[in-house]
């Protein structure tokens, strides 16, 4: 498979370059947001100071780690490595991540009024994985902890969902979220092939639940199954579930997707080079929103 590399040479249109990389994975039959976790503690990619990356950068670094066989979760710039007394090995190739910001300035409108204008921008910078760097403190390159699946349910996922107060019902053979009655419907736990499948499917539906009007009010104007709005919401739920699975240390094994789902995602991505950025941003917002319920539940229990 020809891989779209995110290098300084191809970053003139970072939206298109990133989208091409995602498309290449989907066309090869893999979901780039669905990687089995090697570590048992922090599957999210981390900055040099331990702060997790978010949104589209999580996807970019997951892709790079998988393709290049990196085991460390830590990433840093050349200068940050030097400040830690370490050195990037000669000949190592960096990875590109993005930073979204905005410039605010005052302008005069057609009515002669001074208004504040916000101009968004996107820039890139280069990072290296800790596996590419010599002399780092030991915790940056510690051997990954093997993932040990539970003998039964993922209690962390059950607790996470329960803390949101989402209306959850079991039965039938389909998993879905019904906006009409604000309900998450799930088949019985025993109907799933393993605990990971149940937990990640439940998290997928919970991300849909987060987008309801009383909550995040996420609206892509979907009118029917398979249209662009439907596909966009499904992308958010897929990526959001991957983020939550990483946060809860749930191994997200690759699965075979229905060809129709992949076709819808590809259509959206090929028609809008910013779609994956939008989906990742909404997914991150949903994950953060759902984590907010956990903090509230902890305070109430104290």
């Amino acid at each position: 498979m020809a891989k779209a590399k995110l290098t300084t040479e191809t970053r003139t249109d970072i939206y298109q370059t990133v989208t091409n990389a995602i498309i290449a994975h989907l066309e090869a039959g893999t979901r780039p947001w669905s990687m089995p976790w090697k570590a048992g503690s922090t599957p999210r990619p981390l900055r040099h100071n331990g702060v997790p990356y978010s949104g589209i950068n999580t996807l970019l670094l997951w892709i790079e780690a998988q393709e290049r066989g990196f085991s460390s979760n830590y990433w840093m710039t050349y200068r940050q490595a030097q400040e830690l007394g370490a050195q990037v090995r000669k000949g190592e190739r960096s990875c590109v991540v993005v930073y979204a910001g905005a410039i605010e300035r005052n302008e005069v409108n057609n009515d002669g009024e001074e208004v504040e204008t916000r101009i968004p921008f996107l820039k890139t910078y280069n990072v290296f994985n800790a596996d590419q760097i010599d002399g780092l403190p030991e915790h940056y390159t510690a051997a990954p902890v093997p993932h040990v699946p539970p003998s039964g349910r993922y209690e962390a996922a059950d607790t996470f969902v329960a803390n949101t107060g989402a209306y959850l019902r079991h039965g039938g053979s389909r998993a879905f979220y019904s906006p009409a009655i604000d309900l998450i419907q799930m088949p019985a736990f025993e109907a799933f092939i393993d605990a990971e499948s149940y937990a990640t499917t439940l998290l997928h539906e919970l991300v849909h639940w987060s987008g309801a009007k009383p909550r995040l009010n996420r609206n892509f104007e979907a009118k029917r199954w398979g249209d662009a709005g439907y596909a966009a919401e499904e992308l958010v739920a897929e990526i959001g579930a991957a983020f939550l699975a990483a946060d809860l240390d749930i191994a997200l094994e690759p699965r075979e997707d229905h060809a129709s789902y992949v076709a819808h995602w590809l259509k959206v991505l090929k028609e809008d080079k910013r779609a994956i950025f939008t989906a990742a941003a909404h997914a991150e917002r949903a994950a953060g929103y759902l984590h907010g319920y956990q903090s509230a539940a902890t305070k109430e229990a104290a």
Side-chain angles (χ1 to χ4, degrees):
M1 176 184 72
K3 299 173 182 176
K5 292 298 182 184
L6 303 175
T7 65
T8 53
E9 290 78 13
T10 59
R11 71 182 185 184
T12 51
D13 187 346
I14 189 64
Y15 291 108
Q16 193 62 63
T17 302
V18 171
T19 297
N20 289 346
I22 302 293
I23 287 172
H25 276 267
L26 289 173
E27 289 183 335
T30 61
R31 296 175 299 164
W33 51 83
S34 179
M35 303 298 184
W37 316 127
K38 299 176 183 177
S41 55
T42 317
R44 287 266 202 164
L46 303 174
R47 295 177 173 84
H48 73 292
N49 57 4
V51 174
Y53 283 91
S54 61
I56 194 68
N57 284 330
T58 299
L59 298 185
L60 295 181
L61 295 177
W62 276 348
I63 290 172
E64 290 288 350
Q66 184 76 0
E67 289 186 350
R68 298 167 65 178
F70 296 142
S71 60
S72 176
N73 295 321
Y74 285 95
W75 302 79
M76 64 194 73
T77 65
Y78 189 92
R79 179 175 294 180
Q80 288 165 347
Q82 289 187 318
E83 290 173 351
L84 290 169
Q87 181 63 49
V88 175
R89 287 191 295 273
K90 186 176 181 180
E92 292 286 355
R93 178 170 59 84
S94 64
C95 303
V96 171
V97 290
V98 300
Y99 171 75
I103 299 172
E104 295 182 354
R105 67 187 185 193
N106 293 330
E107 294 184 348
V108 178
N109 63 18
N110 293 334
D111 297 324
E113 301 170 331
E114 188 175 89
V115 294
E116 188 177 83
T117 303
R118 190 172 187 270
I119 304 172
F121 67 86
L122 190 72
K123 68 177 183 179
T124 63
Y125 60 98
N126 300 314
V127 295
F128 295 88
N129 186 269
D131 288 357
Q132 301 173 281
I133 304 169
D134 292 326
L136 285 171
E138 185 177 352
H139 75 274
Y140 286 101
T141 54
V145 179
H147 177 83
V148 180
S151 56
R153 302 168 71 106
Y154 275 93
E155 293 183 4
D158 289 337
T159 300
F160 188 91
V161 175
N163 285 342
T164 68
Y167 179 23
L168 173 62
R169 186 173 68 189
H170 289 86
S173 59
R174 295 173 55 227
F176 60 88
Y177 167 66
S178 170
I181 54 177
D182 202 23
L183 161 74
I184 294 175
Q185 178 76 35
M186 288 282 292
F189 174 79
E190 293 75 18
F192 289 82
I193 59 174
D194 52 35
E196 286 83 2
S197 297
Y198 174 85
T200 53
T201 300
L202 179 56
L203 293 175
H204 176 108
E205 301 307 332
L206 187 67
V207 174
H208 282 312
W209 177 87
S210 76
K213 191 172 182 178
R215 291 177 278 276
L216 292 177
N217 193 23
R218 189 173 58 244
N219 183 9
F220 294 111
E221 299 182 355
K223 295 180 175 60
R224 63 183 184 278
W225 188 92
D227 68 12
Y230 179 92
E233 173 63 20
E234 283 300 314
L235 266 178
V236 172
E238 280 283 293
I239 298 170
F243 289 170
L244 291 174
D247 296 339
L248 296 173
D249 190 27
I250 299 172
L252 196 60
E253 295 292 342
R255 73 162 193 249
E256 183 178 349
D257 282 305
H258 295 298
S260 58
Y261 277 97
V262 176
H264 294 319
W265 294 335
L266 286 171
K267 186 174 187 296
V268 168
L269 295 178
K270 288 179 178 179
E271 291 180 352
D272 180 5
K273 64 184 179 182
R274 298 177 185 240
I276 191 65
F277 288 77
T278 301
H282 277 293
E284 191 67 61
R285 192 173 300 119
Y289 174 81
L290 294 167
H291 274 292
Y293 284 98
Q294 315 311 309
S295 301
T298 301
K299 290 179 181 177
E300 289 177 5

